[in-house]
Amino acid sequence: MSIVVGAGVVIVVATWYVGKKSWHALHRMVGITPGTMVYSNPNALLMLKDVRLQQLNIPKAHLQSLSKTHLTQLQRIDDKINLYQQYHNSNADIAAHTVSEQHIVLHKLIETRLPEMLRSYHLQHTLTQKNEPHTMQDDTAVQLLTNSLQGVEAQLDTVLQTLQQKHLNDLHIMNRYIDQHKRL
């Protein structure tokens, strides 16, 4: 009886070992390292510790008073600013000659107004937290901050969409040019 149990244990361990090695070999064949990729839901709300601002220079103290929704929206704004900055850095020669009013307004909004707005919200939140538990002013401040962040994000979306449309139009023009010269 002990021989049968021992053989069963050996078969189970051997099957598990061979299966694991095969699973890792399969992943290596397709270029994936098992256990290194961690899924993060892009729609999940962020915690303060998860926020990684690359472009916005905002003190952590000002971020502490923000809700998870505001932190998530601020991270999206920072990602869009990062895309915009990458575009301008990769096209620095073209961008230097084509500074538009929209670019100047966006730069002022991002560099000055957004940090000022977050600082004001943080100060208002700190003052009301010390005085009273929850007031009508808190609701107003949250609504104003939400509207402002949505406005900044909408402006960034418009700028990025304009750039995308410009390059799509350039591709259409080049395609028409090539089609016309194929006939010749």
Side-chain angles (χ1 to χ4, degrees), residues 87-103:
Y87 168 79
H88 272 282
N89 291 341
S90 66
N91 298 312
D93 54 335
I94 298 168
H97 300 296
T98 60
V99 175
S100 65
E101 179 183 359
Q102 191 177 33
H103 174 76

Side-chain angles (χ1 to χ4, degrees), residues 1-12:
M1 180 71 175
S2 63
I3 294 174
V4 173
V5 171
V9 169
V10 169
I11 290 173
V12 168

Side-chain angles (χ1 to χ4, degrees), residues 39-54 60 63-79:
Y39 173 75
S40 61
N41 185 356
N43 298 326
L45 296 177
L46 293 176
M47 303 290 287
L48 182 60
K49 64 180 175 63
D50 298 328
V51 174
R52 302 282 182 256
L53 300 179
Q54 298 173 359
K60 286 283 187 189
L63 298 176
Q64 290 175 345
S65 59
L66 298 178
S67 68
K68 292 177 185 178
T69 306
H70 290 137
L71 288 173
T72 303
Q73 189 167 24
L74 198 61
Q75 183 66 57
R76 277 196 320 265
I77 289 171
D78 186 69
D79 293 342

Side-chain angles (χ1 to χ4, degrees), residues 133-150:
H134 187 76
T135 64
M136 187 71 127
Q137 289 180 342
D138 286 341
D139 293 338
T140 304
V142 167
Q143 188 61 39
L144 289 171
L145 180 66
T146 301
N147 291 343
S148 298
L149 289 175
Q150 287 173 349

